[in-house]
Amino acid sequence: MKYPSKVKIVDVGPRDGLQNEKAPVPAAVKIELVHRLQDAGLTEIEVTSFVSPKWVPQMADAAEVMAGIRRKPGVRYSVLTPNMKGFEAALLSRPDEIVVFAAASEAFSQRNINCSIAESIERFRPVAEAARAHKIHVRGAISCAVGCPYEGEIAPERVAMVARLLKEIGVQHIGVADTIGVGTPVKVERAMEAALQHYSVDDISGHFHDTYGQALGNTLASLQMGIWQYDTSSAGLGGCPYAKGATGNVATEDVVYMLQGMGIETGIDLDKLIDAGKFISDFLERKPNSRASTALLNKRLG
Ligand code: HMG
Ligand code: MG
């Protein structure tokens, strides 16, 4: 079996990880998390979302968080922008990458961004154009790529359709997202194959929530297909407020532990990463939702 020799991880903890937290997390804590992640060697960090504060109150401090980050050369800072209003606000914060987020499920599109898939593409079109005109990289997420909390199982053809639409409007990279973590390896392979009809293997990433404990298996299945980019979340935080029952993304710590054990390079210092996950978990007054972190923290105690 041939695996990629190198994997790029986007830590989405500050955004996906925290967006679902009910109690407000101060901007200073979010900024500190970003700093700790970049000190641990992360070169891609999804920082925040420029979305409606009525829809996602936790992300209302997006501009403040972006302004407070001490930028490290070589690190790409990304933000979510669902429409031009979000993009225009984000632009002032100088993101390196913006993310538009579509869904392979009509029902989820309606619940999450209040419009149909087709309408969402029309909203993203000027966003992608403006971003590219400003030389900002454009990523697209395809939510519910294997299953939807409202529609159930999603056919791979839906993923191919959304990938095609995103490609047509100039989205440069897509993330195949198992929003509610229901996917299993063969289903995820099919979703990836559908994405590969329109994007090259170098322009696709996996975004796996771990609700059913399948995310590492799904990551391994994707690695075997040559997919080498993954969104993961520090301490396994995360969830979408509009995806009922969804829990966190796969923990960055667990993925890095697995990749290190496989001899795959990530450039990440696992010890520092564990400290970053512990920092945010301590703030939230819970234990990191990562088996590797738990095991390694116990080992430190001797
Ligand atoms: P809408 O209500 O249809 O928007 O929401 P609208 O254009 O009709 O505007 C309504 C109000 O929102 C207006 O304010 C606008 O100014 C304001 P009002 O006049 O009522 O005071 N507004 C905004 N404010 C700030 N920033 C903006 C913005 N746009 C409009 N960008 C909208 C449509 C998309 C804005 C809304 O549905 C929304 O914010 N949704 C965001 C939902 C979200 O953030 N979900 C989580 C992220 S996606 C995710 O987690 C999945 C992912 O991880 C992959 C996976 O796991 O699947 C990426
Ligand atoms: Mg997500």
Side-chain angles (χ1 to χ4, degrees):
M1 197 66 70
K2 193 161 168 354
Y3 293 105
S5 57
K6 218 164 100 177
V7 156
K8 191 176 79 184
I9 289 183
V10 182
D11 199 294
V12 298
R15 195 282 300 172
D16 202 333
L18 294 176
Q19 71 182 9
N20 213 19
E21 289 297 325
K22 298 288 167 286
V25 177
V29 172
K30 295 171 180 166
I31 293 164
E32 173 75 16
L33 175 59
V34 170
H35 289 165
R36 285 174 178 258
L37 291 171
Q38 63 193 19
D39 289 346
L42 268 301
T43 56
E44 299 265 344
I45 304 174
E46 200 170 274
V47 178
T48 187
S49 306
F50 287 84
V51 295
S52 162
K54 288 185 194 141
W55 283 65
V56 187
Q58 187 64 259
M59 296 287 111
D61 59 2
E64 191 186 345
V65 173
M66 283 297 281
I69 291 169
R70 188 180 61 243
R71 301 212 182 189
K72 186 177 167 188
V75 176
R76 184 148 80 170
Y77 303 93
S78 54
V79 301
L80 268 58
T81 56
N83 53 20
M84 277 309 283
K85 188 176 168 79
F87 176 76
E88 276 156 14
L91 193 55
L92 304 171
S93 296
R94 298 182 297 108
D96 302 298
E97 181 181 60
I98 55 106
V99 185
V100 292
F101 42 109
S105 142
E106 280 294 348
F108 184 75
S109 183
Q110 289 290 352
R111 302 255 185 154
N112 194 39
I113 50 175
N114 206 25
C115 62
S116 68
I117 296 170
E119 284 163 347
S120 76
I121 297 296
E122 290 317 311
R123 286 183 190 181
F124 302 152
R125 187 188 299 277
V127 175
E129 258 170 36
R132 294 193 66 173
H134 283 90
K135 306 233 173 337
I136 297 172
H137 193 255
V138 183
R139 177 152 56 92
I142 304 182
S143 288
C144 298
V146 283
C148 166
Y150 313 107
E151 292 183 12
E153 202 150 318
I154 297 293
E157 292 73 29
R158 311 280 304 167
V159 177
M161 177 199 75
V162 179
R164 176 176 57 76
L165 294 172
L166 291 174
K167 182 93 192 184
E168 280 169 11
I169 61 165
V171 171
Q172 294 161 286
H173 177 109
I174 51 167
V176 173
D178 183 6
T179 314
I180 54 169
V182 290
T184 42
V186 175
K187 286 180 188 167
V188 166
E189 275 168 33
R190 294 200 182 117
M192 287 296 180
E193 277 160 11
L196 281 161
Q197 289 174 26
H198 300 285
Y199 282 86
S200 95
V201 72
D202 294 330
D203 295 322
I204 298 177
S205 50
H207 176 112
F208 305 129
H209 285 261
D210 201 26
T211 319
Y212 288 81
Q214 303 300 303
L216 274 184
N218 293 335
T219 303
L220 188 66
S222 306
L223 282 169
Q224 286 167 354
M225 299 178 73
I227 306 286
W228 57 277
Q229 300 174 86
Y230 296 91
D231 297 347
T232 65
S233 181
S234 173
L237 298 168
C240 175
Y242 298 100
K244 209 172 57 181
T247 63
N249 296 85
V250 65
T252 310
E253 295 89 326
D254 291 349
V255 173
V256 170
Y257 178 85
M258 179 177 88
L259 294 171
Q260 280 190 358
M262 295 171 73
I264 297 174
E265 195 189 311
T266 62
I268 296 169
D269 178 325
L270 184 54
D271 271 323
K272 285 188 177 172
L273 177 67
I274 283 170
D275 291 338
K278 179 86 169 66
F279 161 77
I280 191 64
S281 303
D282 285 347
F283 175 82
L284 297 169
E285 297 181 334
R286 66 178 79 122
K287 291 198 174 352
N289 190 15
S290 153
R291 303 282 278 268
S293 169
T294 305
L296 290 166
L297 285 169
N298 284 339
K299 208 169 166 187
R300 279 186 195 173
L301 295 173

